[in-house]
Amino acid sequence: MSLSAPTCIGASVSRIDGPAKVTGAAKYAAEYVAPDLAHGYVVTSRIAKGRIRRIDVSRARRVAGVIDVLTHDNRPQMAAQDDAYRDDVAPEGAPFRPLYNNRILFSGQPIALVLAEDPEAARFAATLLGVDYDEEPHVTDFLGQRDAAVAAPKGAFGPPPARGSVEAALEAAPVRHDADYYVPAETHNPMELYATTAIWDADGRLTVYDKTQGVQNAHTYLCGVFGLKPEDLRVMSPYMGGGFGSGLRPQYQVVLAVLAAKALRRPARVVLTRAQMFELGYRPAMIQRISLGADADGTLRAIAHDAVTMTSRYEDFYRQETGWSGLLYACANASYAHRLARLDLPTPCDMRAPSAASGVYALECAMDELAVALNMDPIALRLKNYSERDQHSGDPYSSKNLRACYEQGAEAFGWAGRAPEPRAMRDGEELIGWGMATGVWEALQMSIGVRIVLSANGHAEVSCATSDIGTGTYTIMAQVAADMLGLPLQDISIRLGDSTLPRSPVEGGSWIAASVANGIAATADAIRADVLRLAQGLPHAPLAGAGPDDVELAEGCVVSRADPSRRTPIADALRHARLERIEREHLTEFAAPKLAHNTHSAVFAEVRIDEDLGLIRVTRVLSAVAAGRILNAKTARSQIMGGVVWGVGMALHEETLIDPAFGRIMNANIADYHVPVNADIHNIEVIFVDEPDAEINRLGVKGLGEIGIVGVAAAIANAVYHATGTRVRDLPITLDKLRR
């Protein structure tokens, strides 16, 4: 019998990096100092397409404190091949090359870097550059390019294969729903600006402090761009003030900072402005056509989901936008199509729950509209078509407790008290609406390396190159290590965000928690075997004859699981072997899944709408989530709450507006680009539904970062319809759309 059950995994442990953050001890990319540091300010293009004819830098160079101005004409050497600029998550195409040549691909493209002794001088000098262009006609109107869109290339993110006969099933269905749904482009606005500090050493080596979600991805990228030897470059990002997908790929400021350091042979820093952040990547706008056919009892007979999304001219960025429709509900006939509108804009990138946040919005609004047509409760319609198998592959789920999400969420929300007719619920001058939607995401896991150093003094250091983008990775790593090594949490230290540490994928897709937790467990197994071997070398060893699976590490000892009285202190075992520490590094790989792996949720929303003014308040959101084993109840709840807040923004606030005449973003600041503020957010409740999963991995862990936003916008949109009887299918839902 085990000595003790794990005490850290699952507990509501406060973030171990919290004190460093609130006291200012945690350093971010723009906070590292070095002697003789040069400051760079980026000058960007005023046109959307064409070529630079001439850049006059003479006035800028005369400003006191200006060191140099780098352009495509005088920058240090960079690679000439596209492959050198292709990072781990790059889409197909020719990646953007900052300051490479005189070609302009989008408005806001970096065209020069002013370097000065202080940031103020650099910023002022940047205003003095004279730039002449040969402008070419550009196209940035996404809606106007809908008919010109081309089929997305077949590949990992291509639409799933169709099944059955959709057209015939739709024609024969007694109840049909067909509608278009629109999601605008949305821009990442993490709190921390993108920044890089590149430290040039006398021997030519570089240490780069970068805001990134993948230090090793950035390391490989920079080595390719500049022809650096891997050992001559170190990339670090121990803290990150939000990424949400915008930092999966290396952003252009890291190239400019290294260019500056190489050109000047001294440290250099580049920090982007908030307006420049708007040109780094965005959730692509999407037009979706959903067609549903059902029997009178609600049984789905056909699903057709077509999508058009935007991408750049130079890369084909897309995700599997339409496949979620065929995944969630049992339906014998389903078809999918995905087309790309190529525009003179920067390439989009992943934003929290890429494809699912947009695709599930359309699906779940369409399901709500079908429920209205059937005069059927929205939950009943979903339960009628509940599937125990992945509809694409036919594989059963390793675990799926979505049914309990519906049940527990509805009970806690009070769904039984909902009057089904629109405009039937009110409080004085406010109309009240209740809506719900389903959420789904992939439960992914990636190969990952972990190093554990266990010292004779009872301290363990756990290292991995992964990032903590604010999700609590430091903390969950420490919790898992504490339980696996049998040590108090305070005796665990975590190192991450350093390219020299054991291998890690980029931090995204909700795969890091599951991957690194199981990586720690596997590495701890090797540590436990080593400790046992050393303990068995002691005279009269109490654990003689025991195998690694017969013992556990607990209370600073290696202990027999069957007889806890048989134990040896770890310190005694190491001292007898004359060792100060044991070190193990292990690469954990995950077998190709034989079962479907997904997380699920049921989201319930209440809105109150002023009947005269059309002002919308989201007064309650409840999210019931089935996501396997929860590693930390506190940080997990925080993740879901953050996703809900973002879902409110997606439903009611966020929209990146592009002027087609200039190809320029018109609201490139967080005053005009609306996001929820404290006054917009009211009660949020999170329920974690128990979902044991012995198949997905040894710890039964699934990711949580993405699922929190999926379904939220749809639940709010459905609540708005229930309150008003007006169906708004294009986001964000603003009062003018309610009044039209």
Side-chain angles (χ1 to χ4, degrees):
M1 185 176 184
S2 177
L3 177 67
S4 61
T7 57
C8 283
I9 295 177
S12 294
V13 175
S14 295
R15 296 171 188 257
I16 63 172
D17 53 324
K21 288 181 175 179
V22 299
T23 61
K27 287 188 176 181
Y28 293 81
E31 297 181 319
Y32 289 90
V33 296
D36 209 25
L37 179 68
H39 298 267
Y41 187 85
V42 181
V43 181
T44 58
S45 168
R46 298 192 308 271
I47 69 169
K49 188 176 182 180
R51 294 185 181 275
I52 301 170
R53 188 187 319 130
R54 182 180 69 95
I55 300 181
D56 182 359
V57 302
S58 58
R59 292 179 65 202
R61 287 182 183 275
R62 289 197 292 269
V63 173
V66 169
I67 306 165
D68 200 356
V69 180
L70 297 182
T71 70
H72 65 278
D73 288 325
N74 66 339
R75 48 110 179 126
Q77 185 175 0
M78 299 165 68
Q81 300 80 24
D82 280 341
D83 284 348
Y85 297 81
R86 188 165 288 120
D87 64 277
D88 289 349
V89 293
E92 290 301 313
F96 174 63
R97 308 178 187 188
L99 299 194
Y100 185 76
N101 56 27
N102 70 341
R103 191 86 178 102
I104 299 299
L105 303 176
F106 54 88
S107 179
Q109 173 181 322
I111 60 172
L113 181 68
V114 179
L115 296 165
E117 301 292 350
D118 59 76
E120 291 79 12
R123 182 184 287 259
F124 172 68
T127 66
L128 303 179
L129 262 66
V131 185
D132 297 326
Y133 301 95
D134 290 323
E135 192 168 358
E136 299 173 14
H138 66 266
V139 177
T140 57
D141 180 8
F142 169 60
L143 294 177
Q145 290 298 108
R146 179 177 185 174
D147 293 337
V150 298
K154 293 181 180 179
F157 297 111
R163 58 180 183 270
S165 178
V166 172
E167 290 186 9
L170 282 172
E171 186 69 26
V175 182
R176 283 189 58 172
H177 169 71
D178 298 275
D180 285 357
Y181 299 87
Y182 174 68
V183 177
E186 300 168 358
T187 300
H188 306 75
N189 269 291
M191 189 182 306
E192 181 193 9
L193 298 171
Y194 271 88
T196 303
T197 303
I199 309 298
W200 175 273
D201 295 335
D203 58 4
R205 295 185 179 184
L206 280 165
T207 300
V208 174
Y209 298 96
D210 185 40
K211 175 174 179 172
T212 177
Q213 291 176 237
V215 289
Q216 290 178 330
N217 186 31
H219 178 273
T220 302
Y221 172 79
L222 290 173
C223 285
V225 170
F226 293 104
L228 299 170
K229 297 178 181 178
E231 61 270 21
D232 289 342
L233 173 67
R234 184 182 188 184
V235 180
M236 301 185 69
S237 182
Y239 298 100
M240 189 177 186
F244 314 114
S246 62
L248 291 173
R249 301 186 68 182
Q251 297 293 6
Y252 70 72
Q253 91 289 334
V254 71
V255 173
L256 300 187
V258 173
L259 276 174
K262 287 176 69 66
L264 303 179
R265 295 185 175 271
R266 59 187 276 193
R269 174 179 297 153
V270 177
V271 183
L272 301 187
T273 66
R274 179 61 61 180
Q276 289 167 351
M277 296 271 287
F278 274 76
E279 303 295 348
L280 295 184
Y282 49 92
R283 192 192 300 280
M286 182 189 305
I287 308 166
Q288 300 174 79
R289 180 75 177 176
I290 299 268
S291 299
L292 302 177
D295 290 340
D297 67 352
T299 302
L300 282 172
R301 294 304 180 196
I303 299 175
H305 192 162
D306 299 347
V308 179
T309 56
M310 63 200 301
T311 190
S312 67
R313 297 276 190 195
Y314 53 92
E315 288 179 306
D316 288 332
F317 177 89
Y318 65 101
R319 293 292 181 254
Q320 191 193 98
E321 313 288 353
T322 59
W324 306 101
S325 289
L327 175 69
L328 262 179
Y329 302 114
C331 186
N333 305 286
S335 67
Y336 321 92
H338 192 179
R339 293 180 295 141
L340 299 178
R342 295 193 173 101
L343 304 173
D344 297 305
L345 293 170
T347 303
C349 67
D350 291 313
M351 182 184 277
R352 195 170 194 165
S355 78
S358 302
V360 173
Y361 156 72
L363 169 67
E364 288 301 285
C365 286
M367 287 291 285
D368 194 72
E369 295 199 60
L370 181 63
V372 171
L374 290 163
N375 194 26
M376 191 173 185
D377 182 88
I379 298 177
L381 176 62
R382 287 160 174 81
L383 290 173
K384 180 72 176 179
N385 297 283
Y386 194 88
S387 176
E388 299 290 357
R389 292 178 176 271
D390 179 328
Q391 291 290 293
H392 298 313
S393 66
D395 295 332
Y397 291 96
S398 60
S399 61
K400 182 181 179 181
N401 216 357
L402 175 58
R403 194 182 300 274
C405 292
Y406 291 140
E407 293 169 355
Q408 294 181 31
E411 181 178 1
F413 190 80
W415 186 259
R418 176 182 183 265
E421 299 82 10
R423 303 180 67 88
M425 300 170 64
R426 64 168 58 238
D427 180 8
E429 296 179 351
E430 287 188 318
L431 298 169
I432 300 174
W434 287 3
M436 62 82 53
T438 306
V440 61
W441 183 252
E442 303 166 289
L444 301 169
Q445 43 202 357
M446 302 287 187
S447 62
I448 198 163
V450 171
R451 180 189 305 132
I452 296 177
V453 178
L454 179 63
S455 301
N457 64 2
H459 180 271
E461 180 184 85
V462 182
S463 304
C464 178
T466 190
S467 297
D468 187 336
I469 62 173
T471 55
T473 306
Y474 276 105
T475 308
I476 62 104
M477 285 178 66
Q479 288 177 265
V480 174
D483 279 352
M484 295 298 110
L485 298 173
L487 296 174
L489 193 66
Q490 62 268 24
D491 289 337
I492 306 291
S493 61
I494 303 297
R495 291 182 63 206
L496 51 72
D498 183 338
S499 63
T500 65
L501 297 178
R503 191 177 89 190
S504 173
V506 294
E507 209 282 20
S510 293
W511 56 59
I512 284 298
S515 302
V516 77
N518 283 277
I520 291 169
T523 309
D525 287 346
I527 289 284
R528 187 178 71 248
D530 285 347
V531 173
L532 174 62
R533 176 178 52 79
L534 297 177
Q536 289 173 334
L538 270 70
H540 311 295
L543 294 171
D549 293 337
D550 300 327
V551 299
E552 63 181 341
L553 300 180
E555 300 176 352
C557 298
V558 55
V559 184
S560 168
R561 297 180 188 272
D563 181 3
S565 67
R566 296 175 58 198
R567 61 172 61 200
T568 299
I570 296 171
D572 290 353
L574 267 65
R575 289 192 189 100
H576 184 265
R578 303 193 179 197
L579 294 175
E580 294 184 357
R581 64 182 193 173
I582 299 174
E583 180 175 330
R584 276 285 190 160
E585 183 173 326
H586 180 77
L587 180 67
T588 300
E589 303 197 66
F590 299 89
K594 297 179 181 179
L595 301 174
H597 297 333
N598 288 88
T599 58
H600 296 89
S601 66
V603 185
F604 297 82
E606 176 185 87
V607 299
R608 288 174 174 257
I609 302 176
D610 186 294
E611 188 173 14
D612 295 325
L613 301 178
L615 297 176
I616 304 170
R617 292 189 299 134
V618 180
T619 47
R620 280 198 299 151
V621 177
L622 183 146
S623 183
V625 182
R629 187 181 188 184
I630 303 302
L631 290 171
N632 183 316
K634 188 174 187 177
T635 59
R637 182 174 181 272
S638 177
Q639 281 295 291
I640 301 303
M641 289 181 68
V644 168
V645 172
W646 200 333
V648 173
M650 183 178 181
L652 304 181
H653 301 276
E654 295 195 48
E655 182 176 17
T656 303
L657 298 170
I658 299 171
D659 183 345
F662 297 98
R664 189 177 306 152
I665 295 174
M666 296 184 289
N667 57 338
N669 57 74
I670 53 177
D672 297 323
Y673 182 92
H674 294 167
V675 296
V677 297
N678 285 349
D680 297 309
I681 302 303
H682 298 272
N683 183 50
I684 299 174
E685 185 176 351
V686 180
I687 296 172
F688 289 114
V689 172
D690 188 41
E691 189 180 57
D693 192 330
E695 298 293 333
I696 189 167
N697 52 58
R698 65 182 281 185
L699 296 179
V701 177
K702 298 179 179 180
L704 270 175
E706 321 287 349
I707 188 67
I709 189 176
V710 184
V712 178
I716 293 170
N718 295 337
V720 169
Y721 168 78
H722 181 241
T724 64
T726 299
R727 178 66 66 172
V728 179
R729 300 190 181 103
D730 55 316
L731 298 181
I733 303 171
T734 49
L735 60 86
D736 58 304
K737 295 174 184 177
L738 283 179
R739 311 303 291 179
R740 67 190 178 193

mmCIF file of all heavy atoms in Angstrom, residues 421-424 431-432 609 717-728 738:
data_model
loop_
_atom_site.group_PDB
_atom_site.id
_atom_site.type_symbol
_atom_site.label_atom_id
_atom_site.label_comp_id
_atom_site.label_asym_id
_atom_site.label_seq_id
_atom_site.Cartn_x
_atom_site.Cartn_y
_atom_site.Cartn_z
ATOM 1 N N GLU A 421 -39.680 31.126 -25.316
ATOM 2 C CA GLU A 421 -40.009 32.120 -26.335
ATOM 3 C C GLU A 421 -39.105 33.348 -26.208
ATOM 4 O O GLU A 421 -38.844 33.840 -25.108
ATOM 5 C CB GLU A 421 -41.467 32.567 -26.205
ATOM 6 C CG GLU A 421 -42.475 31.454 -26.377
ATOM 7 C CD GLU A 421 -42.667 30.648 -25.109
ATOM 8 O OE1 GLU A 421 -42.139 31.088 -24.045
ATOM 9 O OE2 GLU A 421 -43.292 29.582 -25.158
ATOM 10 N N PRO A 422 -38.641 33.895 -27.333
ATOM 11 C CA PRO A 422 -37.872 35.149 -27.288
ATOM 12 C C PRO A 422 -38.696 36.277 -26.674
ATOM 13 O O PRO A 422 -39.920 36.310 -26.792
ATOM 14 C CB PRO A 422 -37.565 35.429 -28.764
ATOM 15 C CG PRO A 422 -37.654 34.096 -29.430
ATOM 16 C CD PRO A 422 -38.712 33.346 -28.698
ATOM 17 N N ARG A 423 -38.002 37.169 -25.975
ATOM 18 C CA ARG A 423 -38.586 38.360 -25.345
ATOM 19 C C ARG A 423 -39.569 38.007 -24.224
ATOM 20 O O ARG A 423 -40.356 38.859 -23.794
ATOM 21 C CB ARG A 423 -39.292 39.248 -26.389
ATOM 22 C CG ARG A 423 -38.395 39.701 -27.529
ATOM 23 C CD ARG A 423 -39.167 40.574 -28.510
ATOM 24 N NE ARG A 423 -39.549 41.846 -27.913
ATOM 25 C CZ ARG A 423 -38.805 42.936 -27.901
ATOM 26 N NH1 ARG A 423 -37.603 42.922 -28.472
ATOM 27 N NH2 ARG A 423 -39.230 44.055 -27.337
ATOM 28 N N ALA A 424 -39.503 36.771 -23.738
ATOM 29 C CA ALA A 424 -40.452 36.357 -22.698
ATOM 30 C C ALA A 424 -39.929 36.624 -21.295
ATOM 31 O O ALA A 424 -40.691 36.532 -20.331
ATOM 32 C CB ALA A 424 -40.774 34.868 -22.849
ATOM 33 N N LEU A 431 -34.585 43.471 -21.218
ATOM 34 C CA LEU A 431 -34.901 42.141 -21.724
ATOM 35 C C LEU A 431 -33.815 41.180 -21.248
ATOM 36 O O LEU A 431 -32.625 41.508 -21.256
ATOM 37 C CB LEU A 431 -34.943 42.148 -23.248
ATOM 38 C CG LEU A 431 -36.008 43.050 -23.891
ATOM 39 C CD1 LEU A 431 -35.754 43.160 -25.388
ATOM 40 C CD2 LEU A 431 -37.404 42.515 -23.604
ATOM 41 N N ILE A 432 -34.209 39.983 -20.831
ATOM 42 C CA ILE A 432 -33.268 38.980 -20.334
ATOM 43 C C ILE A 432 -33.230 37.820 -21.315
ATOM 44 O O ILE A 432 -34.283 37.332 -21.759
ATOM 45 C CB ILE A 432 -33.668 38.483 -18.933
ATOM 46 C CG1 ILE A 432 -33.683 39.649 -17.934
ATOM 47 C CG2 ILE A 432 -32.716 37.381 -18.456
ATOM 48 C CD1 ILE A 432 -34.203 39.279 -16.571
ATOM 49 N N ILE A 609 -30.510 43.338 -21.767
ATOM 50 C CA ILE A 609 -30.438 44.302 -22.858
ATOM 51 C C ILE A 609 -31.472 45.395 -22.631
ATOM 52 O O ILE A 609 -32.668 45.111 -22.458
ATOM 53 C CB ILE A 609 -30.679 43.603 -24.217
ATOM 54 C CG1 ILE A 609 -29.653 42.481 -24.425
ATOM 55 C CG2 ILE A 609 -30.613 44.619 -25.350
ATOM 56 C CD1 ILE A 609 -29.869 41.670 -25.677
ATOM 57 N N ALA A 717 -24.346 35.075 -28.248
ATOM 58 C CA ALA A 717 -25.168 35.398 -29.410
ATOM 59 C C ALA A 717 -26.542 34.747 -29.308
ATOM 60 O O ALA A 717 -27.569 35.356 -29.649
ATOM 61 C CB ALA A 717 -24.465 34.954 -30.691
ATOM 62 N N ASN A 718 -26.580 33.506 -28.840
ATOM 63 C CA ASN A 718 -27.854 32.816 -28.677
ATOM 64 C C ASN A 718 -28.697 33.459 -27.579
ATOM 65 O O ASN A 718 -29.927 33.532 -27.675
ATOM 66 C CB ASN A 718 -27.614 31.339 -28.376
ATOM 67 C CG ASN A 718 -26.956 30.608 -29.540
ATOM 68 O OD1 ASN A 718 -27.049 31.054 -30.690
ATOM 69 N ND2 ASN A 718 -26.286 29.505 -29.254
ATOM 70 N N ALA A 719 -28.025 33.953 -26.530
ATOM 71 C CA ALA A 719 -28.752 34.648 -25.464
ATOM 72 C C ALA A 719 -29.316 35.973 -25.970
ATOM 73 O O ALA A 719 -30.424 36.375 -25.585
ATOM 74 C CB ALA A 719 -27.824 34.883 -24.267
ATOM 75 N N VAL A 720 -28.568 36.669 -26.821
ATOM 76 C CA VAL A 720 -29.057 37.924 -27.389
ATOM 77 C C VAL A 720 -30.318 37.674 -28.216
ATOM 78 O O VAL A 720 -31.293 38.439 -28.146
ATOM 79 C CB VAL A 720 -27.957 38.603 -28.228
ATOM 80 C CG1 VAL A 720 -28.525 39.765 -29.038
ATOM 81 C CG2 VAL A 720 -26.823 39.086 -27.330
ATOM 82 N N TYR A 721 -30.311 36.613 -29.009
ATOM 83 C CA TYR A 721 -31.517 36.277 -29.773
ATOM 84 C C TYR A 721 -32.686 35.970 -28.840
ATOM 85 O O TYR A 721 -33.816 36.439 -29.050
ATOM 86 C CB TYR A 721 -31.269 35.080 -30.691
ATOM 87 C CG TYR A 721 -32.566 34.545 -31.262
ATOM 88 C CD1 TYR A 721 -33.192 35.205 -32.323
ATOM 89 C CD2 TYR A 721 -33.190 33.428 -30.708
ATOM 90 C CE1 TYR A 721 -34.403 34.754 -32.819
ATOM 91 C CE2 TYR A 721 -34.402 32.975 -31.199
ATOM 92 C CZ TYR A 721 -35.010 33.650 -32.252
ATOM 93 O OH TYR A 721 -36.225 33.209 -32.734
ATOM 94 N N HIS A 722 -32.422 35.182 -27.803
ATOM 95 C CA HIS A 722 -33.491 34.816 -26.875
ATOM 96 C C HIS A 722 -34.066 36.053 -26.193
ATOM 97 O O HIS A 722 -35.285 36.138 -25.949
ATOM 98 C CB HIS A 722 -32.947 33.833 -25.833
ATOM 99 C CG HIS A 722 -33.961 33.381 -24.839
ATOM 100 N ND1 HIS A 722 -33.834 33.603 -23.483
ATOM 101 C CD2 HIS A 722 -35.141 32.730 -24.997
ATOM 102 C CE1 HIS A 722 -34.883 33.097 -22.853
ATOM 103 N NE2 HIS A 722 -35.687 32.553 -23.746
ATOM 104 N N ALA A 723 -33.223 37.028 -25.915
ATOM 105 C CA ALA A 723 -33.693 38.246 -25.255
ATOM 106 C C ALA A 723 -34.510 39.120 -26.188
ATOM 107 O O ALA A 723 -35.514 39.718 -25.775
ATOM 108 C CB ALA A 723 -32.510 39.036 -24.707
ATOM 109 N N THR A 724 -34.086 39.215 -27.450
ATOM 110 C CA THR A 724 -34.651 40.232 -28.348
ATOM 111 C C THR A 724 -35.486 39.681 -29.495
ATOM 112 O O THR A 724 -36.286 40.427 -30.080
ATOM 113 C CB THR A 724 -33.515 41.054 -28.969
ATOM 114 O OG1 THR A 724 -32.705 40.189 -29.791
ATOM 115 C CG2 THR A 724 -32.659 41.699 -27.893
ATOM 116 N N GLY A 725 -35.268 38.421 -29.866
ATOM 117 C CA GLY A 725 -35.907 37.892 -31.065
ATOM 118 C C GLY A 725 -35.200 38.316 -32.338
ATOM 119 O O GLY A 725 -35.637 37.995 -33.444
ATOM 120 N N THR A 726 -34.082 39.029 -32.216
ATOM 121 C CA THR A 726 -33.287 39.458 -33.370
ATOM 122 C C THR A 726 -32.027 38.606 -33.452
ATOM 123 O O THR A 726 -31.255 38.535 -32.490
ATOM 124 C CB THR A 726 -32.887 40.942 -33.249
ATOM 125 O OG1 THR A 726 -34.065 41.737 -33.194
ATOM 126 C CG2 THR A 726 -32.036 41.371 -34.424
ATOM 127 N N ARG A 727 -31.821 37.978 -34.596
ATOM 128 C CA ARG A 727 -30.651 37.124 -34.775
ATOM 129 C C ARG A 727 -29.552 37.916 -35.476
ATOM 130 O O ARG A 727 -29.719 38.366 -36.611
ATOM 131 C CB ARG A 727 -31.012 35.894 -35.608
ATOM 132 C CG ARG A 727 -29.855 34.961 -35.903
ATOM 133 C CD ARG A 727 -29.302 34.281 -34.666
ATOM 134 N NE ARG A 727 -30.261 33.358 -34.054
ATOM 135 C CZ ARG A 727 -29.955 32.533 -33.052
ATOM 136 N NH1 ARG A 727 -28.713 32.524 -32.545
ATOM 137 N NH2 ARG A 727 -30.877 31.744 -32.529
ATOM 138 N N VAL A 728 -28.449 38.096 -34.793
ATOM 139 C CA VAL A 728 -27.282 38.766 -35.363
ATOM 140 C C VAL A 728 -26.243 37.699 -35.655
ATOM 141 O O VAL A 728 -25.782 37.002 -34.744
ATOM 142 C CB VAL A 728 -26.714 39.829 -34.405
ATOM 143 C CG1 VAL A 728 -25.491 40.497 -35.022
ATOM 144 C CG2 VAL A 728 -27.777 40.874 -34.081
ATOM 145 N N LEU A 738 -28.609 45.385 -33.580
ATOM 146 C CA LEU A 738 -29.865 45.021 -32.932
ATOM 147 C C LEU A 738 -31.009 45.919 -33.382
ATOM 148 O O LEU A 738 -32.170 45.498 -33.378
ATOM 149 C CB LEU A 738 -29.728 45.114 -31.406
ATOM 150 C CG LEU A 738 -28.985 43.998 -30.697
ATOM 151 C CD1 LEU A 738 -28.936 44.275 -29.204
ATOM 152 C CD2 LEU A 738 -29.632 42.651 -30.963
#
